Amino acid sequence: MKILILNAGSSSQKSCLYDLKEDSLNDHPLDPIWSANIDWTVANGQGILTVKAKGIKKIINLSFSDNRQGIAAMLDTLIQEETQVIKQLSEIKIVGHRVVHGGTDYSKATLITPEVKATIRRLIPLAPTHNPAHIEGIEAIEQLLGAIPQIAVFDTAFHSHMPLETAAYPIPYEWFEKGIRRYGFHGTSHKYCAYKAAQILNKPLTDLKLITCHLGNGCSLAAIKDGISIDTTMGFTPLEGLMMGSRSGSIDPAILIYLMREHNLTANQLDEMLNKESGLKGISGISADLRAVIQGIDQGNIRAKLALDMYIYRLRAKIGSMLATLGDLDALIFTAGVGENSAIVREKACEKFDFLGLKLDLDKNNNRPMNIDISTTQSRVRILVIHTEEDWAIAQECWHLRQSNS
Ligand code: ADP
């Protein structure tokens, strides 16, 4: 069965096509037979579409900036020229969308109906860069593929069972009732990594206490007990918690009040500052990309060093907080761009948890580990590096939902 996945970001549109069969649903994620990515950041009014299929990489310049047109151009490459992998678009049987914000309404993958679309629209103020792009994606598919089943897999869903004391903010209760609460994000990745960890450890997920560290451009941790997320570092929006590439993570909220009152900063300026100009980028003054920050450190840049030191300090502090929520730990898991690739971040993050009996095998850590245990045999707590497979996880959810409805 051909399943198309759409993953819309604030400045990009990613997509891939899986060809799933009953026996594909074993322990190993399939590679997509086609994948495409539109980068809208290259120039005003333009985009770059990169398509990979059949061992070929094709780059197409788009002379417009409309996401719906972009999706149409992207899907054309499925049925045309050297990247063609299907004869016609009607071979696609389901479309799965990664949707960032599902509020409190959705705790699992959901068939998209007019009501679901209305909810995604209603939640635009909580995810102003993502939810409009999801609606565009859903409507583009309606136009291009007609009445095909479309399924939303929400980033918030995995955290929807967090206990109230974790979910609520200590502000007047009426705001909680109006939806000002912690939702958590990166749920598809945290959930996938928890399942994969149980597989690697060869133990039932229901017997495990895990901390998953999703460290990419956005960063969040989850405390997972018996397969359920009981705490996470992101909250009402993906801005809370850890220091990230260009996002500040948690800061004293009074700083915002001060900047508004004393420096006349507007809501939009604060939004831009906290989401785009902070984190590694804001402190180092170099880049949101950790690789560039590390190069800066190697060249003796003091602010680059401070940026990495702060990133690690905040990461350790939040691991400590997740640990306190769990009460014990079976495995610490690293995933996403930084978590999978940065040996130094993993080493420094683990350093202070020696007292737990958590011992990193430095050779394994430095040897590009993937989907393996990198702790020593004496370590009481396992340390895993897992390649996150969000698109594959969404494809599986689509398959299961389709099977249960047929
Ligand atoms: P996103 O959160 O957008 O999905 P990724 O999970 O792919 O992004 O993470 C991207 C980030 O991963 C980059 O900005 C970069 O900081 C980091 N990264 C990727 N490779 C490395 C590496 N070899 N060393 C350190 N950091 C890396």
Side-chain angles (χ1 to χ4, degrees):
M1 183 196 296
K2 306 283 191 304
I3 302 182
L4 180 75
I5 307 299
L6 285 193
N7 185 339
S10 49
S11 54
S12 69
Q13 172 70 62
K14 293 183 195 159
S15 183
C16 61
L17 186 75
Y18 287 98
D19 187 8
L20 252 85
K21 300 184 178 65
E22 192 75 52
D23 62 2
S24 321
L25 293 164
N26 57 26
D27 293 348
H28 301 290
L30 279 187
D31 285 331
I33 57 171
W34 165 97
S35 65
N37 179 23
I38 305 176
D39 183 351
W40 293 118
T41 60
V42 275
N44 243 352
Q46 290 177 38
I48 290 192
L49 167 60
T50 307
V51 185
K52 291 182 192 163
K54 304 200 295 200
I56 296 165
K57 181 173 168 184
K58 187 174 177 184
I59 294 175
I60 301 168
N61 291 315
L62 305 177
S63 56
F64 51 81
S65 61
D66 176 59
N67 204 30
R68 288 170 207 245
Q69 261 181 291
I71 292 171
M74 204 151 124
L75 297 196
D76 274 347
T77 69
L78 279 166
I79 50 170
Q80 284 174 12
E81 300 179 4
E82 65 268 46
T83 57
Q84 180 184 14
V85 288
I86 51 177
K87 285 203 181 73
Q88 47 210 11
L89 293 179
S90 59
E91 285 175 47
I92 300 169
K93 294 300 171 216
I94 316 179
V95 179
H97 295 264
R98 172 201 173 213
V99 179
V100 165
H101 218 308
T104 47
D105 296 351
Y106 303 107
S107 59
K108 52 184 197 290
T110 306
L111 186 68
I112 298 174
T113 59
E115 292 74 43
V116 176
K117 264 169 72 178
T119 307
I120 298 172
R121 266 210 184 86
R122 185 171 52 73
L123 292 167
I124 286 176
L126 305 194
T129 50
H130 286 93
N131 275 24
H134 301 321
I135 290 288
E136 279 174 6
I138 295 164
E139 293 185 340
I141 295 295
E142 284 168 356
Q143 267 176 15
L144 296 163
L145 302 185
I148 183 174
Q150 298 198 60
I151 288 165
V153 178
F154 298 96
D155 261 16
T156 42
F158 184 52
H159 305 295
S160 63
H161 301 292
M162 282 195 302
L164 285 186
E165 72 263 25
T166 318
Y169 287 106
I171 56 176
Y173 188 75
E174 66 212 59
W175 289 111
F176 178 66
E177 292 175 311
K178 289 180 181 152
I180 309 284
R181 52 170 288 155
R182 306 184 65 243
Y183 295 99
F185 298 89
H186 290 145
T188 308
S189 174
H190 289 298
K191 183 178 171 184
Y192 172 81
C193 289
Y195 278 90
K196 188 77 189 171
Q199 249 177 38
I200 294 172
L201 299 172
N202 200 17
K203 289 200 172 143
L205 186 53
T206 44
D207 284 354
L208 292 172
K209 293 193 176 79
L210 306 171
I211 297 175
T212 42
C213 308
H214 178 108
L215 309 175
N217 284 314
C219 302
S220 72
L221 309 182
I224 301 169
K225 183 167 178 264
D226 306 339
I228 293 169
S229 166
I230 58 166
D231 199 359
T232 188
T233 54
M234 284 180 171
F236 180 60
T237 73
L239 186 53
E240 191 180 342
L242 296 168
M243 175 170 165
M244 312 184 205
S246 66
R247 283 176 243 169
S248 62
S250 295
I251 61 168
D252 182 345
I255 294 171
L256 310 189
I257 302 166
Y258 171 83
L259 291 176
M260 288 168 93
R261 281 197 187 132
E262 304 297 325
H263 293 268
N264 298 320
L265 261 68
T266 64
N268 285 347
Q269 286 171 319
L270 288 173
D271 189 353
E272 180 80 10
M273 177 185 106
L274 297 173
N275 279 299
K276 308 237 169 87
E277 301 300 333
S278 296
L280 290 173
K281 183 179 174 191
I283 295 296
S284 71
I286 296 176
S287 170
D289 191 317
L290 181 64
R291 288 166 290 195
V293 174
I294 288 175
Q295 260 182 11
I297 297 173
D298 292 343
Q299 289 156 6
N301 185 311
I302 291 168
R303 272 174 52 188
K305 180 171 182 315
L306 175 63
L308 181 63
D309 288 348
M310 287 171 65
Y311 184 93
I312 298 293
Y313 157 73
R314 284 169 177 255
L315 174 58
R316 284 178 187 151
K318 292 291 179 189
I319 291 174
S321 158
M322 296 294 116
L323 193 58
T325 306
L326 285 170
D328 198 358
L329 186 63
D330 294 300
L332 180 66
I333 297 150
F334 292 95
T335 192
V338 174
E340 293 173 25
N341 295 300
S342 176
I344 188 76
V345 166
R346 292 191 298 261
E347 183 181 334
K348 285 185 174 288
C350 290
E351 224 168 61
K352 295 273 175 175
F353 294 98
D354 199 50
F355 73 94
L356 273 184
L358 181 146
K359 295 192 190 310
L360 184 69
D361 182 319
L362 292 176
D363 287 339
K364 285 185 184 160
N365 186 44
N366 288 321
N367 206 14
R368 299 180 163 271
M370 200 48 69
N371 295 330
I372 61 162
D373 185 349
I374 55 167
S375 55
T376 65
T377 44
Q378 297 83 36
S379 183
R380 195 184 72 78
V381 177
R382 312 316 326 157
I383 308 166
L384 307 179
V385 180
I386 294 180
H387 174 49
T388 192
E389 294 270 5
E390 285 166 296
D391 291 338
W392 170 246
I394 295 171
Q396 282 183 304
E397 299 253 11
C398 289
W399 170 279
H400 290 304
L401 192 68
R402 169 84 183 220
Q403 297 304 98
S404 61
N405 286 342
S406 60

